[in-house]
Amino acid sequence: MTIPSVGILGTGSYLPEKKMMNIDLEKIVDTTDEWIVSRTGIKERRIVSDDQATSDLAYEASLKALQRAGITAEQLGLIIVATVTPDMTFPSTANLIQERLGAKKAASFDLAAACSGFLYGLTMASQSIRTGLYQYALVIGAESLSKIVDWEDRNTSVLFGDGAGAVVLGKVDEGYGFLSFELGADGGGGDFLYLPGGGSRCPATEKSVKNKQHYVKMNGKEVFKFAVRVMEQVSESVLEKAGLLKEDVALLVPHQANLRIIDAARKRLELPEDKVVVNLDKYGNMSSASIPVALDEAVRGNQVKRGDHLVLVGFGGGLTWGGCVIRWDQEMTSA
Ligand code: UT7
């Protein structure tokens, strides 16, 4: 039996309408537009409304990805939602999407690997298509991070934003699609970026709320050092596994956490700026949604053509990291 090639058949994204600018944050915490732009590259971010939850964003992104892939929800065999901000603990956000899309034949589950979650989801979904378990899979990265950020903490509140990106995976022409993957984790760095409250270790109590246990905690400096190291290592490793050289890369689609981290990876790969997708100026860090939203915008902006080699690479809490190389199969439309 020949193992089929698997790739991305369609992409979609959704961003909430409400924009929060850096000057809006100046009114809430002791920060400046100048500090945020020079240290991170972020100028604005999108924020969900009070009545919107992660599944609402994920649903809209999924509709677009399905439409561009030219398949119906009923054809899906698998739905994975990568998120650290599910609507609730259970049922999973993927179950909610499955019902809302009418994807009656799909198995569905959430995946928690923080900002690397989308890459973890791509890897798992593509392997299950390669082995013949499913024909089509929907992989979504979706977050409402504004709901878990301490708006009084300038170390974190300026960084994050809300949004969702989705892709449909299926078989592609031989030699196209995913050429290599890499995933990794270092649980020893778990306390560099985490949310302590709401689980079985620290369930919600009056005290946990008062002590701000339900908000993101981060050691920015440690995450920064780790991020620069793994972004470079993983990019080089997935290229090597795919049998490609730096000069073969048409587009780098990195996790959007900090422009200085992205630049370090870009320089290591010796890529010009126009071969790197950057949208964190508009959206901030959307954790698992960052890469699929960036990919969707690149595809719709006609930055990707058939035969191009794309490197997707990211890192996140856990600590976790991941990357893959794709030889793009689709002739893209800017629909
Ligand atoms: O998806 C993964 C999520 N997380 C990340 O990727 C985070 C990775 N880390 C980073 O991006 C950077 O470390 C930060 C942007 C978070 C911080 O940048 P930095 O250049 O590492 O700044 P720093 O932490 O060294 O802070 C420098 C100063 C400190 O003041 P003192 O102690 O020197 O007086 C901070 O208190 O900047 C201060 N500071 C701020 N000042 C104005 C920290 N946050 C702010 C702020 N506005 N928002």
Side-chain angles (χ1 to χ4, degrees), residues 55-82:
S55 68
D56 300 322
L57 314 185
Y59 173 71
E60 298 295 337
S62 301
L63 288 180
K64 292 178 194 162
L66 285 167
Q67 187 225 327
R68 293 194 188 114
I71 70 155
T72 63
E74 288 206 354
Q75 291 174 274
L76 290 170
L78 178 66
I79 300 173
I80 300 177
V81 177

PDB file of all heavy atoms in Angstrom, residues 55-82:
ATOM      1  N   SER A  55     -15.473  29.133  20.732  1.00  0.00           N
ATOM      2  CA  SER A  55     -16.132  28.340  19.672  1.00  0.00           C
ATOM      3  C   SER A  55     -16.774  29.238  18.618  1.00  0.00           C
ATOM      4  O   SER A  55     -16.894  28.836  17.453  1.00  0.00           O
ATOM      5  CB  SER A  55     -17.172  27.380  20.259  1.00  0.00           C
ATOM      6  OG  SER A  55     -18.264  28.100  20.786  1.00  0.00           O
ATOM      7  N   ASP A  56     -17.201  30.439  19.018  1.00  0.00           N
ATOM      8  CA  ASP A  56     -17.802  31.357  18.033  1.00  0.00           C
ATOM      9  C   ASP A  56     -16.765  31.785  16.993  1.00  0.00           C
ATOM     10  O   ASP A  56     -17.065  31.874  15.796  1.00  0.00           O
ATOM     11  CB  ASP A  56     -18.373  32.601  18.731  1.00  0.00           C
ATOM     12  CG  ASP A  56     -19.455  32.245  19.735  1.00  0.00           C
ATOM     13  OD1 ASP A  56     -20.233  31.320  19.438  1.00  0.00           O
ATOM     14  OD2 ASP A  56     -19.488  32.859  20.817  1.00  0.00           O
ATOM     15  N   LEU A  57     -15.553  32.039  17.462  1.00  0.00           N
ATOM     16  CA  LEU A  57     -14.481  32.431  16.535  1.00  0.00           C
ATOM     17  C   LEU A  57     -14.092  31.228  15.660  1.00  0.00           C
ATOM     18  O   LEU A  57     -13.906  31.340  14.447  1.00  0.00           O
ATOM     19  CB  LEU A  57     -13.244  32.909  17.308  1.00  0.00           C
ATOM     20  CG  LEU A  57     -13.428  33.878  18.477  1.00  0.00           C
ATOM     21  CD1 LEU A  57     -12.071  34.320  19.011  1.00  0.00           C
ATOM     22  CD2 LEU A  57     -14.238  35.086  18.056  1.00  0.00           C
ATOM     23  N   ALA A  58     -13.965  30.084  16.317  1.00  0.00           N
ATOM     24  CA  ALA A  58     -13.548  28.860  15.613  1.00  0.00           C
ATOM     25  C   ALA A  58     -14.562  28.470  14.532  1.00  0.00           C
ATOM     26  O   ALA A  58     -14.186  28.040  13.437  1.00  0.00           O
ATOM     27  CB  ALA A  58     -13.396  27.720  16.625  1.00  0.00           C
ATOM     28  N   TYR A  59     -15.829  28.650  14.849  1.00  0.00           N
ATOM     29  CA  TYR A  59     -16.884  28.289  13.898  1.00  0.00           C
ATOM     30  C   TYR A  59     -16.767  29.119  12.614  1.00  0.00           C
ATOM     31  O   TYR A  59     -16.813  28.580  11.497  1.00  0.00           O
ATOM     32  CB  TYR A  59     -18.245  28.498  14.565  1.00  0.00           C
ATOM     33  CG  TYR A  59     -19.425  28.314  13.660  1.00  0.00           C
ATOM     34  CD1 TYR A  59     -19.782  27.044  13.200  1.00  0.00           C
ATOM     35  CD2 TYR A  59     -20.203  29.406  13.256  1.00  0.00           C
ATOM     36  CE1 TYR A  59     -20.872  26.871  12.351  1.00  0.00           C
ATOM     37  CE2 TYR A  59     -21.280  29.243  12.416  1.00  0.00           C
ATOM     38  CZ  TYR A  59     -21.619  27.980  11.966  1.00  0.00           C
ATOM     39  OH  TYR A  59     -22.685  27.818  11.126  1.00  0.00           O
ATOM     40  N   GLU A  60     -16.603  30.422  12.784  1.00  0.00           N
ATOM     41  CA  GLU A  60     -16.516  31.305  11.602  1.00  0.00           C
ATOM     42  C   GLU A  60     -15.286  30.960  10.743  1.00  0.00           C
ATOM     43  O   GLU A  60     -15.368  30.922   9.514  1.00  0.00           O
ATOM     44  CB  GLU A  60     -16.432  32.782  12.040  1.00  0.00           C
ATOM     45  CG  GLU A  60     -17.625  33.290  12.809  1.00  0.00           C
ATOM     46  CD  GLU A  60     -18.906  33.307  11.985  1.00  0.00           C
ATOM     47  OE1 GLU A  60     -18.831  33.342  10.752  1.00  0.00           O
ATOM     48  OE2 GLU A  60     -19.988  33.264  12.609  1.00  0.00           O
ATOM     49  N   ALA A  61     -14.158  30.705  11.393  1.00  0.00           N
ATOM     50  CA  ALA A  61     -12.944  30.354  10.642  1.00  0.00           C
ATOM     51  C   ALA A  61     -13.140  29.023   9.913  1.00  0.00           C
ATOM     52  O   ALA A  61     -12.709  28.850   8.764  1.00  0.00           O
ATOM     53  CB  ALA A  61     -11.755  30.266  11.599  1.00  0.00           C
ATOM     54  N   SER A  62     -13.829  28.093  10.563  1.00  0.00           N
ATOM     55  CA  SER A  62     -14.048  26.764   9.972  1.00  0.00           C
ATOM     56  C   SER A  62     -14.919  26.825   8.724  1.00  0.00           C
ATOM     57  O   SER A  62     -14.658  26.137   7.737  1.00  0.00           O
ATOM     58  CB  SER A  62     -14.733  25.843  10.987  1.00  0.00           C
ATOM     59  OG  SER A  62     -13.944  25.717  12.128  1.00  0.00           O
ATOM     60  N   LEU A  63     -15.976  27.652   8.778  1.00  0.00           N
ATOM     61  CA  LEU A  63     -16.858  27.766   7.610  1.00  0.00           C
ATOM     62  C   LEU A  63     -16.062  28.178   6.382  1.00  0.00           C
ATOM     63  O   LEU A  63     -16.233  27.634   5.283  1.00  0.00           O
ATOM     64  CB  LEU A  63     -17.951  28.808   7.871  1.00  0.00           C
ATOM     65  CG  LEU A  63     -19.065  28.447   8.853  1.00  0.00           C
ATOM     66  CD1 LEU A  63     -20.044  29.608   8.961  1.00  0.00           C
ATOM     67  CD2 LEU A  63     -19.799  27.178   8.404  1.00  0.00           C
ATOM     68  N   LYS A  64     -15.144  29.144   6.586  1.00  0.00           N
ATOM     69  CA  LYS A  64     -14.348  29.633   5.447  1.00  0.00           C
ATOM     70  C   LYS A  64     -13.395  28.551   4.954  1.00  0.00           C
ATOM     71  O   LYS A  64     -13.216  28.362   3.748  1.00  0.00           O
ATOM     72  CB  LYS A  64     -13.566  30.883   5.849  1.00  0.00           C
ATOM     73  CG  LYS A  64     -14.466  32.068   6.119  1.00  0.00           C
ATOM     74  CD  LYS A  64     -13.641  33.258   6.565  1.00  0.00           C
ATOM     75  CE  LYS A  64     -14.531  34.334   7.167  1.00  0.00           C
ATOM     76  NZ  LYS A  64     -13.807  35.292   7.959  1.00  0.00           N
ATOM     77  N   ALA A  65     -12.758  27.846   5.879  1.00  0.00           N
ATOM     78  CA  ALA A  65     -11.799  26.804   5.470  1.00  0.00           C
ATOM     79  C   ALA A  65     -12.508  25.694   4.695  1.00  0.00           C
ATOM     80  O   ALA A  65     -11.997  25.200   3.678  1.00  0.00           O
ATOM     81  CB  ALA A  65     -11.099  26.238   6.700  1.00  0.00           C
ATOM     82  N   LEU A  66     -13.693  25.309   5.156  1.00  0.00           N
ATOM     83  CA  LEU A  66     -14.458  24.250   4.467  1.00  0.00           C
ATOM     84  C   LEU A  66     -14.860  24.708   3.070  1.00  0.00           C
ATOM     85  O   LEU A  66     -14.730  23.972   2.092  1.00  0.00           O
ATOM     86  CB  LEU A  66     -15.713  23.900   5.269  1.00  0.00           C
ATOM     87  CG  LEU A  66     -15.494  23.060   6.525  1.00  0.00           C
ATOM     88  CD1 LEU A  66     -16.749  23.063   7.396  1.00  0.00           C
ATOM     89  CD2 LEU A  66     -15.105  21.628   6.170  1.00  0.00           C
ATOM     90  N   GLN A  67     -15.311  25.957   3.000  1.00  0.00           N
ATOM     91  CA  GLN A  67     -15.743  26.488   1.700  1.00  0.00           C
ATOM     92  C   GLN A  67     -14.569  26.519   0.719  1.00  0.00           C
ATOM     93  O   GLN A  67     -14.692  26.093  -0.429  1.00  0.00           O
ATOM     94  CB  GLN A  67     -16.313  27.885   1.918  1.00  0.00           C
ATOM     95  CG  GLN A  67     -16.951  28.484   0.691  1.00  0.00           C
ATOM     96  CD  GLN A  67     -16.524  29.927   0.485  1.00  0.00           C
ATOM     97  OE1 GLN A  67     -16.296  30.664   1.449  1.00  0.00           O
ATOM     98  NE2 GLN A  67     -16.383  30.314  -0.766  1.00  0.00           N
ATOM     99  N   ARG A  68     -13.408  26.963   1.184  1.00  0.00           N
ATOM    100  CA  ARG A  68     -12.248  27.054   0.277  1.00  0.00           C
ATOM    101  C   ARG A  68     -11.710  25.673  -0.078  1.00  0.00           C
ATOM    102  O   ARG A  68     -11.105  25.497  -1.132  1.00  0.00           O
ATOM    103  CB  ARG A  68     -11.163  27.929   0.892  1.00  0.00           C
ATOM    104  CG  ARG A  68     -11.639  29.364   0.986  1.00  0.00           C
ATOM    105  CD  ARG A  68     -10.520  30.329   1.275  1.00  0.00           C
ATOM    106  NE  ARG A  68     -11.108  31.635   1.530  1.00  0.00           N
ATOM    107  CZ  ARG A  68     -11.071  32.264   2.696  1.00  0.00           C
ATOM    108  NH1 ARG A  68     -10.411  31.742   3.715  1.00  0.00           N
ATOM    109  NH2 ARG A  68     -11.654  33.428   2.844  1.00  0.00           N
ATOM    110  N   ALA A  69     -11.918  24.699   0.817  1.00  0.00           N
ATOM    111  CA  ALA A  69     -11.472  23.333   0.520  1.00  0.00           C
ATOM    112  C   ALA A  69     -12.457  22.637  -0.418  1.00  0.00           C
ATOM    113  O   ALA A  69     -12.138  21.605  -1.011  1.00  0.00           O
ATOM    114  CB  ALA A  69     -11.336  22.535   1.816  1.00  0.00           C
ATOM    115  N   GLY A  70     -13.663  23.202  -0.510  1.00  0.00           N
ATOM    116  CA  GLY A  70     -14.673  22.617  -1.395  1.00  0.00           C
ATOM    117  C   GLY A  70     -15.252  21.317  -0.866  1.00  0.00           C
ATOM    118  O   GLY A  70     -15.657  20.445  -1.628  1.00  0.00           O
ATOM    119  N   ILE A  71     -15.303  21.177   0.463  1.00  0.00           N
ATOM    120  CA  ILE A  71     -15.954  19.987   1.035  1.00  0.00           C
ATOM    121  C   ILE A  71     -17.030  20.430   2.030  1.00  0.00           C
ATOM    122  O   ILE A  71     -17.042  21.574   2.477  1.00  0.00           O
ATOM    123  CB  ILE A  71     -14.954  19.023   1.720  1.00  0.00           C
ATOM    124  CG1 ILE A  71     -14.382  19.618   3.013  1.00  0.00           C
ATOM    125  CG2 ILE A  71     -13.846  18.585   0.785  1.00  0.00           C
ATOM    126  CD1 ILE A  71     -13.920  18.568   3.993  1.00  0.00           C
ATOM    127  N   THR A  72     -17.892  19.491   2.378  1.00  0.00           N
ATOM    128  CA  THR A  72     -18.938  19.815   3.362  1.00  0.00           C
ATOM    129  C   THR A  72     -18.510  19.308   4.736  1.00  0.00           C
ATOM    130  O   THR A  72     -17.658  18.411   4.849  1.00  0.00           O
ATOM    131  CB  THR A  72     -20.266  19.129   2.994  1.00  0.00           C
ATOM    132  OG1 THR A  72     -20.061  17.706   3.054  1.00  0.00           O
ATOM    133  CG2 THR A  72     -20.719  19.520   1.603  1.00  0.00           C
ATOM    134  N   ALA A  73     -19.149  19.839   5.757  1.00  0.00           N
ATOM    135  CA  ALA A  73     -18.837  19.414   7.132  1.00  0.00           C
ATOM    136  C   ALA A  73     -19.095  17.918   7.305  1.00  0.00           C
ATOM    137  O   ALA A  73     -18.403  17.244   8.064  1.00  0.00           O
ATOM    138  CB  ALA A  73     -19.663  20.224   8.112  1.00  0.00           C
ATOM    139  N   GLU A  74     -20.082  17.404   6.596  1.00  0.00           N
ATOM    140  CA  GLU A  74     -20.412  15.974   6.749  1.00  0.00           C
ATOM    141  C   GLU A  74     -19.315  15.057   6.239  1.00  0.00           C
ATOM    142  O   GLU A  74     -19.284  13.867   6.559  1.00  0.00           O
ATOM    143  CB  GLU A  74     -21.716  15.666   6.025  1.00  0.00           C
ATOM    144  CG  GLU A  74     -22.895  16.251   6.745  1.00  0.00           C
ATOM    145  CD  GLU A  74     -24.178  15.502   6.481  1.00  0.00           C
ATOM    146  OE1 GLU A  74     -24.159  14.583   5.642  1.00  0.00           O
ATOM    147  OE2 GLU A  74     -25.194  15.862   7.100  1.00  0.00           O
ATOM    148  N   GLN A  75     -18.417  15.588   5.430  1.00  0.00           N
ATOM    149  CA  GLN A  75     -17.314  14.761   4.912  1.00  0.00           C
ATOM    150  C   GLN A  75     -16.146  14.664   5.907  1.00  0.00           C
ATOM    151  O   GLN A  75     -15.229  13.886   5.709  1.00  0.00           O
ATOM    152  CB  GLN A  75     -16.808  15.321   3.576  1.00  0.00           C
ATOM    153  CG  GLN A  75     -17.810  15.152   2.437  1.00  0.00           C
ATOM    154  CD  GLN A  75     -17.314  15.852   1.177  1.00  0.00           C
ATOM    155  OE1 GLN A  75     -17.530  17.043   0.975  1.00  0.00           O
ATOM    156  NE2 GLN A  75     -16.627  15.111   0.325  1.00  0.00           N
ATOM    157  N   LEU A  76     -16.195  15.475   6.954  1.00  0.00           N
ATOM    158  CA  LEU A  76     -15.078  15.471   7.913  1.00  0.00           C
ATOM    159  C   LEU A  76     -15.083  14.199   8.759  1.00  0.00           C
ATOM    160  O   LEU A  76     -16.114  13.776   9.262  1.00  0.00           O
ATOM    161  CB  LEU A  76     -15.176  16.679   8.858  1.00  0.00           C
ATOM    162  CG  LEU A  76     -14.917  18.052   8.248  1.00  0.00           C
ATOM    163  CD1 LEU A  76     -15.299  19.146   9.246  1.00  0.00           C
ATOM    164  CD2 LEU A  76     -13.444  18.192   7.841  1.00  0.00           C
ATOM    165  N   GLY A  77     -13.881  13.640   8.945  1.00  0.00           N
ATOM    166  CA  GLY A  77     -13.747  12.482   9.833  1.00  0.00           C
ATOM    167  C   GLY A  77     -13.213  12.876  11.199  1.00  0.00           C
ATOM    168  O   GLY A  77     -13.349  12.123  12.175  1.00  0.00           O
ATOM    169  N   LEU A  78     -12.587  14.061  11.273  1.00  0.00           N
ATOM    170  CA  LEU A  78     -11.910  14.449  12.509  1.00  0.00           C
ATOM    171  C   LEU A  78     -11.910  15.973  12.651  1.00  0.00           C
ATOM    172  O   LEU A  78     -11.674  16.689  11.673  1.00  0.00           O
ATOM    173  CB  LEU A  78     -10.457  13.947  12.450  1.00  0.00           C
ATOM    174  CG  LEU A  78      -9.533  14.286  13.616  1.00  0.00           C
ATOM    175  CD1 LEU A  78      -9.989  13.593  14.895  1.00  0.00           C
ATOM    176  CD2 LEU A  78      -8.092  13.877  13.289  1.00  0.00           C
ATOM    177  N   ILE A  79     -12.168  16.431  13.876  1.00  0.00           N
ATOM    178  CA  ILE A  79     -12.045  17.866  14.181  1.00  0.00           C
ATOM    179  C   ILE A  79     -11.160  18.001  15.418  1.00  0.00           C
ATOM    180  O   ILE A  79     -11.443  17.405  16.464  1.00  0.00           O
ATOM    181  CB  ILE A  79     -13.416  18.512  14.480  1.00  0.00           C
ATOM    182  CG1 ILE A  79     -14.350  18.376  13.281  1.00  0.00           C
ATOM    183  CG2 ILE A  79     -13.236  19.985  14.861  1.00  0.00           C
ATOM    184  CD1 ILE A  79     -15.779  18.850  13.550  1.00  0.00           C
ATOM    185  N   ILE A  80     -10.076  18.762  15.276  1.00  0.00           N
ATOM    186  CA  ILE A  80      -9.214  19.045  16.428  1.00  0.00           C
ATOM    187  C   ILE A  80      -9.217  20.546  16.660  1.00  0.00           C
ATOM    188  O   ILE A  80      -8.968  21.320  15.725  1.00  0.00           O
ATOM    189  CB  ILE A  80      -7.758  18.578  16.182  1.00  0.00           C
ATOM    190  CG1 ILE A  80      -7.714  17.063  15.934  1.00  0.00           C
ATOM    191  CG2 ILE A  80      -6.867  18.946  17.363  1.00  0.00           C
ATOM    192  CD1 ILE A  80      -6.313  16.529  15.613  1.00  0.00           C
ATOM    193  N   VAL A  81      -9.501  20.959  17.885  1.00  0.00           N
ATOM    194  CA  VAL A  81      -9.378  22.381  18.242  1.00  0.00           C
ATOM    195  C   VAL A  81      -8.212  22.532  19.209  1.00  0.00           C
ATOM    196  O   VAL A  81      -8.227  21.975  20.311  1.00  0.00           O
ATOM    197  CB  VAL A  81     -10.664  22.933  18.885  1.00  0.00           C
ATOM    198  CG1 VAL A  81     -10.443  24.391  19.307  1.00  0.00           C
ATOM    199  CG2 VAL A  81     -11.833  22.860  17.912  1.00  0.00           C
ATOM    200  N   ALA A  82      -7.199  23.248  18.783  1.00  0.00           N
ATOM    201  CA  ALA A  82      -6.077  23.575  19.657  1.00  0.00           C
ATOM    202  C   ALA A  82      -6.435  24.875  20.370  1.00  0.00           C
ATOM    203  O   ALA A  82      -6.672  25.898  19.721  1.00  0.00           O
ATOM    204  CB  ALA A  82      -4.810  23.755  18.835  1.00  0.00           C
TER     205      ALA A  82
END
